[in-house]
Amino acid sequence: MKKVFAVLGNPIEHSLSPIMHNSAFEALDMDCTYHAFRVEKNNLEDALQGAKAMGFGGLNLTVPLKETALSFVDADPLAAKIGAINTIDFKDGIKGYNTDGIGAKRTIEDEGVEIKDKNVLILGAGGAARAIAFTFAEAGAMVNIANRTPERAMQLAAEIGDARGYGLDIVDKGLDEIDILINTTTVGLGNSNGTLVSAEQMHSDLAVFDIVYNPLMTKLLQEAETADARPITGIMMLVYQGAEAFRIWTGREPPTEIMKRTVMEALDI
């Protein structure tokens, strides 16, 4: 019997998760299928119970459901700290996970950049920033968070413990002590040509990671190239967070190169 997986959210029409996961199932000759369903927050509990009752293999969650899901799942410790769920597994109840931070960590490490004992500056304090901040802190990084609203950055830093929060003006004071810069904001997304950091503020030993993957080379990454810093695109975070969910659901090693190629073809990259 075919096993069904899905991503729930609203809006959901432009999600790349179905094409990415279906390519993985096909590559491994697995009798599985992955779909996207629009679900409102007030219907999430019913949707989760319905998916479990119908024998779904697992789910992904996207906006605006990630935080709401905490009330209806058995969250693993990291997801509980992050305060958001993006992956659900039904093998033993309704288990909730967050793979966003893992996706970012693997992307950075794939580039040969060590995280432990490195100074990391995260731009933004939203859901992705929370996932990355907690994951990198657990990996031994010294985490700094800069946000347009400094109070949100300071609150997140306080939740992490050994971290610091600032306003975005911290960038103007220089990045000489920062090893890894991560943009989790939407600045640079789509047709936007904006960036929160210019080449003049960077140094050549800086790794610059933008989780925005469309366009692949954002203005921030172009600035990193100008500064002879190391630009890291967001495409593999998308792939790796999905790959980790695949691993949780199936226990099998995901075909990440096929998943990457499928996503890049869908984005016409």
Side-chain angles (χ1 to χ4, degrees), residues 118-138:
K118 295 299 178 67
N119 268 316
V120 178
L121 177 60
I122 299 170
L123 305 177
R130 292 183 63 88
I132 293 170
F134 276 104
T135 302
F136 279 45
E138 286 202 349

Side-chain angles (χ1 to χ4, degrees), residues 92-113:
D92 182 19
I94 304 180
K95 300 284 188 179
Y97 304 86
N98 191 304
T99 66
D100 286 334
I102 296 169
K105 180 173 178 286
R106 285 200 62 187
T107 299
I108 293 284
E109 291 174 338
D110 267 8
E111 293 291 327
V113 177

Side-chain angles (χ1 to χ4, degrees), residues 14 16 44 46-47 54 61 63 66 89 99 104 119 126 149 155 166 169 171 175 211 228 236 241-242 246 250 255-256:
H14 302 294
L16 294 177
L44 179 58
D46 289 342
M54 290 187 290
L61 301 179
V63 292
K66 292 183 179 184
D89 184 61
T99 66
N119 268 316
T149 306
Q155 175 60 38
Y166 305 93
D169 58 349
V171 172
L175 301 176
I211 73 168
D228 288 328
M236 289 311 296
Q241 63 81 24
F246 187 96
T250 69
T256 53

Side-chain angles (χ1 to χ4, degrees), residues 50-73:
K52 178 172 174 56
M54 290 187 290
F56 275 43
L59 298 172
N60 286 130
L61 301 179
T62 186
V63 292
L65 306 178
K66 292 183 179 184
E67 293 81 10
T68 304
L70 282 169
S71 300
F72 310 125
V73 307

Side-chain angles (χ1 to χ4, degrees), residues 214-237:
N214 189 13
L216 193 64
M217 286 301 294
T218 61
K219 178 63 173 175
L220 176 67
L221 297 184
Q222 292 174 33
E223 293 291 304
E225 285 191 329
T226 299
D228 288 328
R230 179 182 298 188
I232 303 173
T233 71
I235 194 76
M236 289 311 296
M237 178 176 167

